[in-house]
Amino acid sequence: MIKYSFAIPRMLAEQFSFQRTLVQLLAEKALAWSVPEVVVATVTGQSNTYENRYEVSGNSQTQSPALTVARNDAWATLETTIYSIYNRYLLYNDAISAEDRDTLHISEVHIGGRTGYDAPTVSPAVNLSSEDVSTLHVNYTTSIMSSSHRKPVGVAFCELACKIGGEPPFTIEECQSHYFVSRSHQELVFNPEQRGNTVYAFARWVNRNGKTGPWGNRITAIVP
């Protein structure tokens, strides 16, 4: 299976352009990409709020520490929604052209890349925290004893194989839902009818060459 990853810029001006491009593309192509109207409306509203706060916080006549905080808060909300949209609707969407993937900063994780990273030998330590309705946050560390949320050297993302509801799985193959988590505390958004179900999950590291590490122990959480 081809694996994809994406990156949100860290520079302020680049973030602004990135989110605007995403919203514009969704306005044009959401139907073709099967992105629900309610999702587009949500990210568009959050983008408008962020852009308004971005503008006033960057204006020398109106800027203040309070406005900067408000802008950062708006970005944090928008960024969470963007991660959800990418993981749920964009990363593995065959309707998206190669050109649009480039525009969206989606890249293929190539096996046999220039840097010959070895396959990971350990599993991530993962817990799923419930902080919002219908949402679980994936928090990972390199080991149970570690407090660092950084990925090991050469690792592209943490792959999560999940089964939602029903009896606990006996094998990984029973976990048909796969999520690719590129940063700790990234969210998984579930449908309203899935609330109250138990999520059974296994996690492993995937490096930049597409090589995978061992699956970790099963973890569970309930969709809030």
Side-chain angles (χ1 to χ4, degrees):
M1 181 180 68
I2 296 175
K3 298 183 184 296
Y4 292 99
S5 184
F6 69 100
I8 295 178
R10 297 293 98 189
M11 299 295 291
L12 193 63
E14 293 177 356
Q15 288 176 344
F16 182 89
S17 298
F18 173 86
Q19 62 83 32
R20 173 170 283 187
T21 298
L22 171 63
V23 171
Q24 289 173 343
L25 281 173
L26 288 175
E28 299 170 9
K29 303 184 179 185
L31 182 61
W33 293 351
S34 300
V35 181
E37 291 183 10
V38 65
V39 173
V40 178
T42 296
V43 73
T44 301
Q46 291 175 355
S47 173
N48 290 337
T49 298
Y50 168 69
E51 291 197 7
N52 289 335
R53 295 181 180 180
Y54 181 95
E55 182 178 352
V56 296
S57 67
N59 188 321
S60 60
Q61 297 180 341
T62 59
Q63 62 185 191
S64 69
L67 289 176
T68 299
V69 170
R71 179 203 64 202
N72 293 343
D73 287 345
W75 170 252
T77 299
L78 175 59
E79 184 181 36
T80 296
T81 300
I82 290 172
Y83 270 105
S84 174
I85 290 172
Y86 269 77
N87 283 302
R88 192 167 185 181
Y89 302 108
L90 303 183
L91 268 188
Y92 291 88
N93 189 332
D94 293 334
I96 299 178
S97 68
E99 181 180 358
D100 284 335
R101 286 190 184 277
D102 288 341
T103 303
L104 292 166
H105 294 209
I106 295 174
S107 58
E108 184 176 338
V109 179
H110 292 282
I111 296 177
R114 292 183 180 178
T115 303
Y117 294 109
D118 293 330
T121 58
V122 296
S123 306
V126 172
N127 72 75
L128 303 175
S129 62
S130 56
E131 303 170 25
D132 307 291
V133 172
S134 299
T135 303
L136 292 171
H137 290 265
V138 182
N139 304 290
Y140 59 63
T141 57
T142 54
S143 69
I144 296 176
M145 301 301 294
S146 173
S147 60
S148 173
H149 296 286
R150 299 185 65 180
K151 300 185 290 289
V153 174
V155 163
F157 53 84
C158 171
E159 179 180 359
L160 224 63
C162 300
K163 180 184 179 185
I164 304 167
E167 295 297 320
F170 288 103
T171 64
I172 302 289
E173 287 69 29
E174 295 179 59
C175 300
Q176 297 297 310
S177 297
H178 285 251
Y179 301 91
F180 302 91
V181 181
S182 56
R183 66 179 179 94
S184 191
H185 204 62
Q186 190 171 313
E187 68 170 11
L188 308 179
V189 180
F190 300 89
N191 297 324
E193 61 269 20
Q194 293 175 318
R195 294 184 63 191
N197 283 326
T198 299
V199 175
Y200 307 95
F202 298 86
R204 66 180 177 182
W205 296 121
V206 181
N207 74 10
R208 294 172 186 170
N209 303 124
K211 298 175 183 177
T212 58
W215 291 105
N217 295 327
R218 190 180 74 199
I219 53 178
T220 60
I222 296 175
V223 179

